[in-house]
Structures are given as C-alpha cells and as structure tokens.
Amino acid sequence: MWVSAPVMLTLTQSRKPVTTNRNLVATAGAVRRATVVNMTIEDIKLRVQTTLDELSSEHLIPFKLTAHRVNTDGPGKYVVPFYDSRIHSFGFSWIDGGSSFKEVVRAAVLDRVKSMDGPPNGRSA
C-alpha cells in the first residue's frame, strides 16, 4: 500500500508528530507500532472481547466470557478479570513484536482454559 505525501507519523519514543514529503510504503510493523502507541485500554478491551467471542463461537472455550475491563500490570502486560467463578482472570503480554494481538490473546485464553480444574470443555464425565 502506498501512502501519498504529506504523511503524519507518530514516533514511539516521542508523541511529537513528524511530517515528511516522501512517499512511504506502509508495512505491517509500522502499522502495528502506530496501533500500540494509539491504542487505549477501551480499544484493548474491545479487541479482547472480540477474540473471546470468536473462541466461544468456535467452541474452543467451554463457556462465554465477558471482558468487563482490562488492567495494566506494567509496560505491555495486561490482566483481564472476569466475574466468573470458573476462571477469575487471565493475563497476557503484548509489545510490538512478531505475534499479532489476537494470536497472543487467543493463546493466553486457551492456556488459561487448559489449566482449569474439571472435565475438558466444561462437560461432566
């Protein structure tokens, strides 16, 4: 995808906009970095909930979970508490890197579900 000039970029270290008159090629890494800088806790919560809904519709988790909030636990570390006695919360780390946000959340939820006590998929034996 080609971006025509002028382009407004946000730097990771500084929130000062930089303008350039060059044509730039947008890469996934550049887009992901910009997303990290501009993503709010509410955006993260919505993306987590979308992923939870997908896992539920794919029958990969035994029951529907609702992300009512997201707590930060340091730079790039998040905890999603649930109002559910079966799973109280799950945590994940995501700093711009090789994995997508959705992949990281899916893996964290599936690992958390695996560690639950009781029969798999919430079914009685």
Side-chain angles (χ1 to χ4, degrees):
M1 173 168 95
W2 290 93
V3 179
S4 57
V7 175
M8 217 44 166
L9 298 175
T10 305
L11 298 175
T12 304
Q13 296 297 320
S14 151
R15 294 204 179 249
K16 215 158 100 177
V18 176
T19 305
T20 180
N21 289 326
R22 297 180 184 164
N23 287 334
L24 300 175
V25 176
T27 63
V31 171
R32 194 166 39 240
R33 275 190 292 282
T35 304
V36 171
V37 171
N38 297 322
M39 195 182 309
T40 66
I41 290 295
E42 188 62 27
D43 294 333
I44 293 170
K45 183 181 92 168
L46 291 172
R47 290 177 72 181
V48 166
Q49 187 60 54
T50 299
T51 304
L52 290 170
D53 293 343
E54 288 173 4
L55 288 169
S56 181
S57 69
E58 295 169 13
H59 306 290
L60 294 174
I61 55 177
F63 44 83
K64 185 160 177 55
L65 292 168
T66 302
H68 294 283
R69 66 176 188 222
V70 174
N71 301 323
T72 58
D73 193 26
K77 295 184 180 188
Y78 305 95
V79 176
V80 180
F82 299 115
Y83 301 126
D84 193 297
S85 61
R86 298 162 290 192
I87 295 181
H88 298 281
S89 66
F90 81 96
F92 66 96
S93 296
W94 188 68
I95 299 175
D96 180 32
S99 297
S100 76
F101 182 86
K102 183 188 281 190
E103 290 170 351
V104 169
V105 171
R106 283 178 69 96
V109 172
L110 293 173
D111 283 347
R112 180 64 183 94
V113 168
K114 279 184 195 175
S115 70
M116 288 176 50
D117 292 334
N121 296 326
R123 298 180 188 141
S124 58

